[in-house]
Amino acid sequence: METTLIILKPDAVQRGIMGRIISRFEDKGLQVVGCKLMQISQDLAATHYEAHKGKGFYNGLVGFMTSSPVLVMAVRGIGAITICRNMMGATFGSKAAPGTIRGDFGVSNSYNLIHGSDSPEAAVRELGLFFKAGEVIEFPRQGDRWIYDSSSGKAE
Ligand code: IDP
Ligand code: MG
């Protein structure tokens, strides 16, 4: 089981498409185990995106992410990190494939609707940046019996 950090960026919140994006993850069988609307501070945006510091788009990125509230989510499932990245699509809305979130909902390369952790290490780090202890709740889901095949003793 993996838990990944998803951020619905200011454009997704302002455009009123949070529900449709969340539904895609729920429809897939992933579980939302943390969720809150928040205004990202300059410091938090800088820490979150520190790997991009110095790049041409960095100042614009930090400005965008702090310009209006975001919805942060912890999303859980077997292979959730890769599954979510694939569902998000390529970074640029102009290039993202149809069927992906970025491919279906946007055309912009910087206003690309969604962030998702790109590795297990990044997920742990980023979940720790955005959620306090107790804000991510790993609760059993009734429907998991029909989401995963556990007949071999191991959910898959
Ligand atoms: P990712 O979000 O698909 O992981 P990254 O390369 O990690 O993509 O870039 C982080 C974010 O920075 C992107 O989601 C996008 O909002 C922005 N970004 C990346 N490259 C560019 C660019 O060339 N122009 C404008 N914005 C960019
Ligand atoms: Mg990235």
Side-chain angles (χ1 to χ4, degrees):
M1 273 288 172
E2 287 177 346
T3 306
T4 187
L5 179 82
I6 295 292
I7 305 176
L8 304 190
K9 295 183 177 183
D11 52 336
V13 177
Q14 286 283 353
R15 289 176 54 195
I17 54 175
M18 290 187 290
R20 290 160 75 189
I21 296 174
I22 294 168
S23 285
R24 288 188 174 215
F25 293 121
E26 291 191 315
D27 287 349
K28 178 71 176 166
L30 296 169
Q31 183 183 16
V32 177
V33 292
C35 188
K36 62 181 174 183
L37 191 74
M38 67 180 284
Q39 176 74 47
I40 300 185
S41 70
Q42 204 74 20
D43 276 1
L44 180 55
T47 305
H48 174 62
Y49 281 122
E50 68 189 7
H52 295 301
K53 199 162 183 190
K55 294 183 185 167
F57 61 83
Y58 174 80
N59 287 340
L61 176 61
V62 169
F64 166 51
M65 293 301 288
T66 57
S67 64
S68 184
V70 301
L71 192 81
V72 292
M73 290 193 287
V75 173
R76 189 164 167 82
I78 296 173
I81 295 166
T82 302
I83 291 171
C84 288
R85 291 286 295 188
N86 288 338
M87 290 176 71
M88 287 162 53
T91 299
F92 292 163
S94 61
K95 302 240 172 73
T100 66
I101 292 162
R102 286 165 168 170
D104 285 353
F105 291 114
V107 291
S108 170
N109 295 341
S110 45
Y111 289 9
N112 61 358
L113 300 161
I114 186 164
H115 166 84
S117 307
D118 64 7
S119 68
E121 298 71 33
V124 169
R125 173 180 176 271
E126 294 174 357
L127 287 164
L129 287 176
F130 287 90
F131 286 102
K132 293 197 272 276
E135 288 183 336
V136 175
I137 305 169
E138 284 172 13
F139 60 100
R141 219 176 19 169
Q142 215 59 40
D144 274 350
R145 188 193 174 319
W146 296 105
I147 299 275
Y148 294 110
D149 176 1
S150 298
S151 58
S152 68
K154 180 175 168 284
E156 59 187 2

